[in-house]
Amino acid sequence: MKSIAALRSLVTALPVDLEPTDAELEAIEQEMPLILADVERLDAYIKTLDRPASELDARRIRRARNRVLVERRDLTNRAAVLGGAA
């Protein structure tokens, strides 16, 4: 029986540089307002999982959903102005 230990370096070869590039970090930074808005939206939904949604919960969810839409619009507009894709 052949041992897999000899083949391990071939099977699990990793790239030398595991850090994100400057371009990837910049893309994350550009999308951060949208990411945070989406986290807020998910938090609003999570608060209503174990109980019926009250009127306050419905407003919180609606506000969070609108904020996500605004951030998506702004991100798309920034990408269009800069000539990139969102």
Side-chain angles (χ1 to χ4, degrees):
M1 177 180 248
K2 198 175 204 180
S3 174
I4 194 167
L7 302 175
R8 182 174 176 177
S9 63
L10 297 175
V11 173
T12 60
L14 295 173
V16 176
D17 186 18
L18 296 177
E19 298 295 319
T21 64
D22 289 339
E24 291 170 334
L25 290 173
E26 180 62 30
I28 292 170
E29 186 68 30
Q30 291 293 322
E31 293 178 8
M32 190 55 69
L34 175 59
I35 293 168
L36 294 175
D38 214 14
V39 168
E40 183 181 326
R41 182 183 60 86
L42 289 172
D43 284 343
Y45 280 125
I46 288 169
K47 288 179 183 177
T48 63
L49 286 178
D50 61 345
R51 59 186 168 81
S54 67
E55 181 60 35
L56 180 63
D57 293 328
R59 279 188 268 161
R60 183 179 295 124
I61 291 169
R62 192 168 44 249
R63 255 193 329 267
R65 187 173 49 236
N66 288 338
R67 182 169 173 229
V68 168
L69 293 174
V70 166
E71 293 299 335
R72 282 183 185 165
R73 181 198 63 202
D74 292 346
L75 180 63
T76 303
N77 288 340
R78 280 192 305 268
V81 168
L82 296 175

